[in-house]
Amino acid sequence: MSLAISASFESEHYIAVDSAISFVVNGISYRNTEQQMFDKLKVLDGEAYFFSGDRDLCINTYKIFENQTDRSFDTLLSIAKENYKKNADNGDRVAIMKYGFDDEGRATIQAMDDSNWDTHPPFLYYGDPKITYIAYGAQKKEAIQELKKVKKQEDPRSPSFYIPIFEAVSNEGVGESIRLFHLTPGKWGMSNIIPLNETKEIRKAAYSDISKIKKMNTFVGSGSNAFPVSINGEGDGMKKFDSNNPIDPSMAGENMSGVGFMSKPNGSYDMLYFSSNYGRERSMKLNDDGISVISENGQFVAKSKDFNFIVDQGTYKIGLANGTVFEVSPSGVSMDVIGNINIKATGTITMNGQRINLN
């Protein structure tokens, strides 16, 4: 997530943006300690575009937008909506804001997020002789309260105005450091990176390390079609899911071989394991209409003191891929054998029937 705090004059913007990037594992948020590769505020043609929310969605939205000849906010919003519709996972958020100028050089601000972009018009600000303060993104409500404390004490054209606000509201997804941008219709500039003195305890980890966990509970799919999945083990990385897999197309790219899964899609409860190196399926699926067991290209061994296999009013059938079938049904027993039948006994073979036909 990201936070932008701005002070806009009639024809200029001062915008402070933090650098923290976070991720969530098992419902717990962490500050990512790995080197970051995306600036949360981008300047194109003298106007600034701020992104908050899921990192990948923000990056993809900006990459598409920067290649457009039409740099209007409507274009940015349209791209963000389409990208969100195609790629967002359950719980992902996106917020966008444009700091620009109209044809007369007045400062303008336009903003929107995924929570209401289908039902409400974008927020719109036009330059005012009075200073207008705006906090947008993660922790914005808390930032507004802190902003009220400092706006009469500090000059918003100085980084010292913004530092105590960010330090007060910092968490895993907001803070670390800030940079102050200054935009006018003719030019723009930015300060050096300014580290923050964060006094509260913040969970920090490298995403590449903590993502290698032994068990993770998550959801796959999207919207009303999402369902829970428990992932057990890291896998050996030899084979990954493609979009045509037994769990869900959204699992494409995840480790497959050497990983166990418990999933609860609609109409089924499934236990799956994919063999090391080759990713061959071993599974048991409890479906609404029955139970299926798969041991792809492997053995199936059942061992017990007693083994009772009882079919209630149906058919019991054992077969081979070559067409050989042994079938027990309420009407009797039949065998259709492709090949020879060999019978060997150390004792007596007894055949007893009302009639015996040998052909």
Side-chain angles (χ1 to χ4, degrees):
M1 301 297 287
S2 313
L3 173 65
I5 301 173
S6 58
S8 294
F9 295 72
E10 188 171 9
S11 58
E12 58 184 327
H13 299 286
Y14 289 88
I15 312 156
V17 181
D18 74 297
S19 62
I21 291 181
S22 63
F23 59 91
V24 177
V25 175
N26 286 345
I28 300 175
S29 184
Y30 297 86
R31 171 84 60 80
N32 191 0
T33 59
E34 295 175 318
Q35 183 177 3
Q36 312 304 319
M37 300 298 293
F38 179 69
D39 295 327
K40 301 179 180 184
L41 188 136
K42 298 284 191 178
V43 179
L44 294 172
D45 301 330
E47 297 182 308
Y49 302 86
F50 170 70
F51 299 85
S52 178
D54 180 79
R55 179 176 177 271
D56 290 338
L57 291 175
C58 291
I59 290 175
N60 291 340
T61 297
Y62 174 73
K63 284 184 176 179
I64 297 171
F65 178 72
E66 69 174 337
N67 293 318
Q68 307 299 309
T69 55
D70 180 1
R71 297 273 174 76
S72 67
F73 185 78
D74 288 341
T75 299
L76 176 61
L77 181 58
S78 176
I79 293 171
K81 285 183 177 181
E82 185 66 20
N83 187 35
Y84 187 89
K85 181 179 179 181
K86 290 181 178 179
N87 301 310
D89 293 324
N90 189 42
D92 284 348
R93 301 300 309 277
V94 169
I96 52 177
M97 176 176 273
K98 177 181 179 179
Y99 300 89
F101 303 94
D102 65 11
D103 293 339
E104 299 176 358
R106 291 188 301 169
T108 63
I109 299 176
Q110 295 167 280
M112 179 55 73
D113 66 71
D114 66 274
S115 67
N116 56 14
W117 59 25
D118 289 325
T119 57
H120 291 73
F123 167 82
L124 179 62
Y125 160 84
Y126 272 105
D128 191 296
K130 297 181 180 179
I131 304 174
T132 298
Y133 298 95
I134 296 176
Y136 194 66
Q139 297 287 89
K140 64 180 181 181
K141 292 182 179 180
E142 294 81 356
I144 289 172
Q145 296 304 313
E146 296 298 323
L147 197 155
K148 292 177 181 178
K149 300 176 184 178
V150 302
K151 68 180 184 179
K152 294 182 179 180
Q153 304 172 12
E154 298 284 348
D155 185 349
R157 292 168 291 190
S158 169
S160 61
F161 177 89
Y162 305 91
I163 291 173
I165 302 175
F166 277 95
E167 290 179 342
V169 303
S170 64
N171 61 13
E172 284 72 22
V174 172
E176 187 175 58
S177 63
I178 66 169
R179 194 191 289 271
L180 181 63
F181 294 79
H182 179 218
L183 278 73
T184 66
K187 61 181 180 179
W188 70 276
M190 62 183 178
S191 71
N192 294 325
I193 294 175
I194 304 168
L196 298 175
N197 180 23
E198 298 172 312
T199 58
K200 65 181 66 174
E201 185 175 343
I202 293 175
R203 288 183 295 269
K204 299 179 181 181
Y207 177 75
S208 59
D209 292 335
I210 202 167
S211 61
K212 296 179 179 179
I213 57 177
K214 294 297 183 182
K215 182 174 182 179
M216 180 173 69
N217 297 313
T218 185
F219 282 81
V220 300
S222 60
S224 61
N225 294 320
F227 60 89
V229 174
S230 175
I231 304 174
N232 298 273
E234 302 172 13
D236 56 24
M238 296 300 293
K239 189 168 183 180
K240 298 182 182 296
F241 285 116
D242 58 24
S243 59
N244 184 26
N245 66 73
I247 299 179
D248 189 81
S250 64
M251 293 292 292
E254 300 292 334
N255 280 351
M256 175 182 180
S257 52
V259 185
F261 301 85
M262 299 288 290
S263 68
K264 179 59 189 71
N266 185 36
S268 179
Y269 183 68
D270 306 338
M271 179 175 66
L272 306 99
Y273 171 74
F274 299 90
S275 68
S276 300
N277 297 318
Y278 301 104
R280 289 165 179 156
E281 181 179 347
R282 318 285 189 244
S283 66
M284 181 170 67
K285 300 182 179 182
L286 310 181
N287 303 306
D288 285 344
D289 57 357
I291 298 173
S292 67
V293 179
I294 296 175
S295 179
E296 180 186 358
N297 201 27
Q299 291 185 336
F300 181 89
V301 178
K303 185 178 181 180
S304 176
K305 178 179 179 295
D306 295 304
F307 188 82
N308 297 317
F309 195 102
I310 299 173
V311 178
D312 184 14
Q313 298 181 353
T315 300
Y316 173 49
K317 184 184 295 185
I318 300 175
L320 299 176
N322 71 349
T324 295
V325 176
F326 175 81
E327 183 174 321
V328 180
S329 69
S331 61
V333 178
S334 65
M335 292 188 297
D336 187 352
V337 179
I338 309 299
N340 300 321
I341 298 176
N342 298 306
I343 301 175
K344 184 179 181 180
T346 59
T348 303
I349 295 177
T350 301
M351 300 178 65
N352 186 8
Q354 195 174 41
R355 179 177 176 179
I356 297 176
N357 295 328
L358 299 174
N359 183 12

